[in-house]
Amino acid sequence: MRDMSYDGVMSRKNEIMKKAVGIDYNKFENEGIGFDYEKMMEDGAYSLEEMLKIQGDVSVGNTPIYELKNITKLARKVSKTGKSARIFIKDEACNPSGSFKARRAATAVYHAKKLGYKGVIAATSGNYGSAVASQAAMQGLKCIIVQECYDSNKVGQPEILEKQRACEALGAEVVQLTVGPELFYYFLRLLEETEYFNASLYTPFGIAGVETLGVEIGKQFKEKYNRLPDVVIATQAGGGNLTGTARGLIKSGCSEVKVVGASVDLKGLHMASDKDFNKKSFTTGHTGYAMPFATMPDRSDVPRNSARTMRYMEEFLIVKQGEIFYMTEMLAILEGLERGPAGNTSLTAGFALAQEMEDDEIILIQETEYTGAGKHPMAQISFAKKNGIEVRYGNPEDEVAGKSIILPEHPSLIKLRKFDLDKIRKSLIKNHIKNVDKEKLSKEDIKFLCDECNRDEMYVKEILKQL
């Protein structure tokens, strides 16, 4: 008889996870605070050639790139410098489940079938659920998606409910829970009871699945434009999107491309708060996930997270909710492309950043996602109004997350906001060493911190001095 209480299940989490993922994370651990990240990625994932074949066999990847000529013209019209970079998008909405997460799901579900699992489970309220459900259907595996969906009054966000519909339409069983710690508890219980595979967002093969996106960017630009983009902007939440894309660019010899993250400003809203849960109008790509995962990546559902953005992110841009809703309509009306909010987060950042760049430079918005039903901006705006949030036109700088959504009165009001990455690096180092004596850190520990921050030894030692 197993102890199925909360404490009982949580005490077995490492054992449950090891069985459900099929990776012995202990063999990558160093003696001190760190672990061998590259060895974990090499041993735990597939080669680039294998991933391209795995994804190609299920019609994932090889998505088109479009130049947003009309939006570029508008950026140049409102730019104070009279210049603006050309803006392109990689249209990941063309994947079978409508988002880039089909890449992660394709490799994860393939791996589950290869190892002989009868089904897969994923804990996600986002696009990854429908991606896993889609791939499980193609591979003939059972699928369970665990969603954090409702507040304590059983009121759910339109965007999350739309993703429930998509998962069920693709044959998955969806377990919907209220916000709080019970999500991880039920997730562990289901893994233990079903003996299904944990199709985590944060495994080596999940992150490596996104590397093909970075490879395609380099290949397509070289073939079509005989050059590379100067900047690639990825929406930043849990970090797998940016990490995988950056690694793919590096593997394809495009390391000179600047990789930038973008998130929605939800400062002041707590993601685990029942009170705040329905006051946010974006369920992913926001600072409520981006900041915790950047500063403490191993807070994920596996012992060591393969999504480690601070190793790759060179700049971090923050945008407002109202700006993204405005940009979503701009994309539809000016370019004839109706796409969902996650990719439009990085598009909003790109529109502002482009105005600081030369007109012969190129920005690539690295992904789009499908939209419709609850994912449509009008559904989210109507839901916000019902929750007492003011929605109006004005200056987005005046927007307060959880209280207002301010649509810009004019496109020139979409502003560039750069977050200080040194603050994130300092928090990251602090979290890594919080349970150790910093005076006893080994050379290997310091090297690990340098890799985590993508900075040299002098930089890390200065932060350690400050701490």
Side-chain angles (χ1 to χ4, degrees), residues 29-93:
E29 291 295 325
N30 298 332
E31 285 188 13
I33 61 173
F35 72 105
D36 193 332
Y37 175 63
E38 289 301 334
K39 183 172 173 53
M40 181 182 77
M41 292 301 294
E42 185 181 336
D43 287 4
Y46 293 91
S47 71
L48 201 51
E49 293 71 24
E50 287 173 321
M51 287 188 296
L52 287 167
K53 184 175 187 316
I54 290 166
Q55 293 175 2
D57 286 346
V58 287
S59 303
V60 169
N62 199 28
T63 55
I65 288 176
Y66 301 131
E67 182 172 5
L68 303 183
K69 294 181 180 179
N70 293 329
I71 287 180
T72 298
K73 282 181 188 175
L74 179 58
R76 289 175 176 173
K77 189 173 182 180
V78 300
S79 170
K80 290 179 181 177
T81 63
K83 301 174 182 178
S84 186
R86 297 163 69 189
I87 303 171
F88 291 72
I89 60 168
K90 184 98 164 86
D91 198 12
E92 289 291 287

Side-chain angles (χ1 to χ4, degrees), residues 14-158:
N14 290 338
E15 172 194 334
I16 295 169
M17 282 299 177
K18 183 177 177 181
K19 188 175 181 181
V21 177
I23 296 174
D24 182 4
Y25 284 88
N26 288 327
K27 70 179 184 178
F28 308 117
E29 291 295 325
N30 298 332
E31 285 188 13
I33 61 173
F35 72 105
D36 193 332
Y37 175 63
E38 289 301 334
K39 183 172 173 53
M40 181 182 77
M41 292 301 294
E42 185 181 336
D43 287 4
Y46 293 91
S47 71
L48 201 51
E49 293 71 24
E50 287 173 321
M51 287 188 296
L52 287 167
K53 184 175 187 316
I54 290 166
Q55 293 175 2
D57 286 346
V58 287
S59 303
V60 169
N62 199 28
T63 55
I65 288 176
Y66 301 131
E67 182 172 5
L68 303 183
K69 294 181 180 179
N70 293 329
I71 287 180
T72 298
K73 282 181 188 175
L74 179 58
R76 289 175 176 173
K77 189 173 182 180
V78 300
S79 170
K80 290 179 181 177
T81 63
K83 301 174 182 178
S84 186
R86 297 163 69 189
I87 303 171
F88 291 72
I89 60 168
K90 184 98 164 86
D91 198 12
E92 289 291 287
C94 296
N95 282 309
S97 58
S99 79
F100 85 94
K101 287 185 177 174
R103 296 177 187 266
R104 294 165 98 159
T107 49
V109 175
Y110 173 89
H111 191 68
K113 186 171 184 179
K114 180 182 174 183
L115 294 180
Y117 288 86
K118 302 299 181 187
V120 292
I121 301 180
T124 169
S125 300
N127 288 328
Y128 189 56
S130 54
V132 172
S134 170
Q135 291 300 313
M138 290 186 190
Q139 297 286 4
L141 298 183
K142 299 287 187 182
C143 179
I144 300 174
I145 303 299
V146 185
Q147 283 187 332
E148 192 174 50
C149 181
Y150 298 109
D151 64 14
S152 56
N153 294 317
K154 297 294 174 70
V155 176
Q157 286 234 349

Side-chain angles (χ1 to χ4, degrees), residues 3 5-16 185 188:
D3 180 0
S5 68
Y6 180 86
D7 289 339
V9 171
M10 296 304 284
S11 71
R12 299 193 299 275
K13 66 180 180 181
N14 290 338
E15 172 194 334
I16 295 169
Y185 164 70
L188 288 169

Side-chain angles (χ1 to χ4, degrees), residues 158-160 162 372-377 379-380:
E159 190 176 349
I160 299 176
E162 155 60 19
K375 285 170 67 70
H376 193 276
Q380 289 295 104

Side-chain angles (χ1 to χ4, degrees), residues 245-291:
T245 300
R247 288 178 61 84
L249 284 166
I250 292 166
K251 284 186 175 182
S252 59
C254 307
S255 56
E256 69 269 33
V257 176
K258 184 178 181 179
V259 178
V260 174
S263 287
V264 190
D265 182 3
L266 292 188
K267 183 181 178 182
L269 294 182
H270 196 291
M271 294 308 104
S273 164
D274 178 68
K275 180 171 70 80
D276 291 346
F277 185 71
N278 281 329
K279 289 194 172 181
K280 63 185 189 297
S281 291
F282 287 80
T283 60
T284 188
H286 54 69
T287 53
Y289 289 138
M291 298 302 184

Side-chain angles (χ1 to χ4, degrees), residues 64-67 86-90 213-232 249 254 257 361-366:
I65 288 176
Y66 301 131
E67 182 172 5
R86 297 163 69 189
I87 303 171
F88 291 72
I89 60 168
K90 184 98 164 86
L213 206 166
V215 170
E216 284 177 25
I217 290 170
K219 183 174 180 236
Q220 289 172 320
F221 263 93
K222 285 174 182 175
E223 288 177 352
K224 192 169 182 180
Y225 303 104
N226 198 31
R227 60 164 296 175
L228 292 171
D230 297 280
V231 175
V232 168
L249 284 166
C254 307
V257 176
E361 292 183 295
I362 288 176
I363 290 176
L364 174 70
I365 308 309
Q366 163 266 11

